[in-house]
Amino acid sequence: LFSEINDQAVLFSASGSSKGELSPASLSGLTRKRTQVYSSQESDDTFLLNFILNEDGMEQQKAGAYKGQLNYTVQAGHEEQIFHIQLEIEVEPVFTIQVDLPPQGLSFERLLPDSQPELREVGVEVKTNLGKPYMVIQNVVSPLTSDKGAVMPEQYFTFKQELLGGQAGRVGFDDFSPVSTGETSIYFSDNKGSAGRFHVIYRLKPYPTMVAGDYTTAIRYSLGEI
């Protein structure tokens, strides 16, 4: 796809010599420029160039195989030799969803007709490096049901989503809407398929003729490409 790897995805440093000056002594980004890594007045020496993948930098890197070449030029007086080193990095695909449920889950205990509205907040985070747009799907497996078998009408059990600061993409419902049984798309990424973080807020509003008791539901979240 002719996509270059992130400058901070690969880090390197020099070490091991006792006769010359090495640079860099600490890990630095591997960039496309000439960099002096060693100098000495001695006639021979041995040192190491150390390479490491930067986990933080790799999180922003698209999946795929990246191939490049390192050129090492050894200069001594008017003479020089060039050595070519082939470099290849395989970035494995990542497409995962992490859900952070409240301690009590999506359950509402000891509800009475005159109880105050209650909220439950679920955190959702998507990590991906595929570079393709996607959506998050909510699947309400069972309606909100009491321990006595009473089903909460949809208009009293609602939800909405809120993006966390600076996140790309858009939510499906930015105002409270009924929680319907079955699958509903609740988040859409940007065209680049950027990672996303948002909250799903569920609100239960008791009503005068409801059956008192403990209410619970089962909800699953999944990913799908657009």
Side-chain angles (χ1 to χ4, degrees):
L1 299 177
F2 301 99
S3 176
E4 291 190 14
I5 201 163
N6 188 319
D7 284 349
Q8 295 303 312
V10 183
L11 305 177
F12 82 106
S13 65
S15 65
S17 172
S18 59
K19 301 179 181 179
E21 296 182 5
L22 294 173
S23 178
S26 58
L27 290 172
S28 299
L30 184 63
T31 57
R32 292 183 58 184
K33 65 179 182 180
R34 290 173 60 90
T35 302
Q36 180 174 298
V37 295
Y38 174 84
S39 64
S40 175
Q41 299 298 320
E42 302 294 330
S43 60
D44 64 87
D45 198 359
T46 300
F47 64 95
L48 299 175
L49 291 175
N50 313 288
F51 295 86
I52 187 173
L53 292 179
N54 180 8
E55 291 186 5
D56 293 336
M58 296 303 288
E59 285 187 359
Q60 308 299 325
Q61 192 62 51
K62 290 183 180 180
Y66 293 81
K67 299 180 180 181
Q69 179 174 283
L70 301 177
N71 297 330
Y72 290 96
T73 303
V74 180
Q75 295 177 331
H78 297 293
E79 299 182 4
E80 70 174 29
Q81 284 184 282
I82 300 177
F83 300 87
H84 306 294
I85 306 296
Q86 302 303 315
L87 186 66
E88 181 173 349
I89 297 172
E90 181 76 26
V91 180
E92 296 293 335
V94 175
F95 194 44
T96 62
I97 184 171
Q98 180 177 331
V99 178
D100 185 16
L101 293 170
Q104 64 272 57
L106 291 177
S107 61
F108 302 83
E109 299 178 350
R110 297 184 292 276
L111 286 177
L112 299 173
D114 58 352
S115 297
Q116 293 297 311
E118 294 191 25
L119 299 177
R120 297 288 184 271
E121 189 171 288
V122 176
V124 180
E125 180 175 4
V126 178
K127 293 184 177 181
T128 176
N129 61 2
L130 301 182
K132 299 178 180 179
Y134 63 88
M135 60 184 171
V136 176
I137 302 165
Q138 170 186 273
N139 184 8
V140 180
V141 180
S142 61
L144 191 65
T145 307
S146 76
D147 51 349
K148 301 179 180 63
V151 176
M152 182 67 65
E154 288 185 358
Q155 64 265 36
Y156 298 107
F157 184 43
T158 58
F159 77 132
K160 69 175 182 177
Q161 300 90 54
E162 292 181 352
L163 288 178
L164 297 181
Q167 294 296 300
R170 60 182 177 87
V171 297
F173 302 86
D174 56 8
D175 199 1
F176 283 107
S177 302
V179 178
S180 301
T181 305
E183 294 187 348
T184 305
S185 299
I186 61 173
Y187 174 81
F188 303 88
S189 76
D190 60 9
N191 291 333
K192 298 178 181 178
S194 303
R197 294 172 58 235
F198 62 96
H199 285 162
V200 186
I201 302 171
Y202 297 91
R203 181 176 67 184
L204 174 59
K205 297 177 67 175
Y207 61 100
T209 59
M210 67 171 282
V211 176
D214 300 336
Y215 284 76
T216 188
T217 183
I219 298 180
R220 298 171 182 167
Y221 306 89
S222 60
L223 294 172
E225 291 188 4
I226 299 176

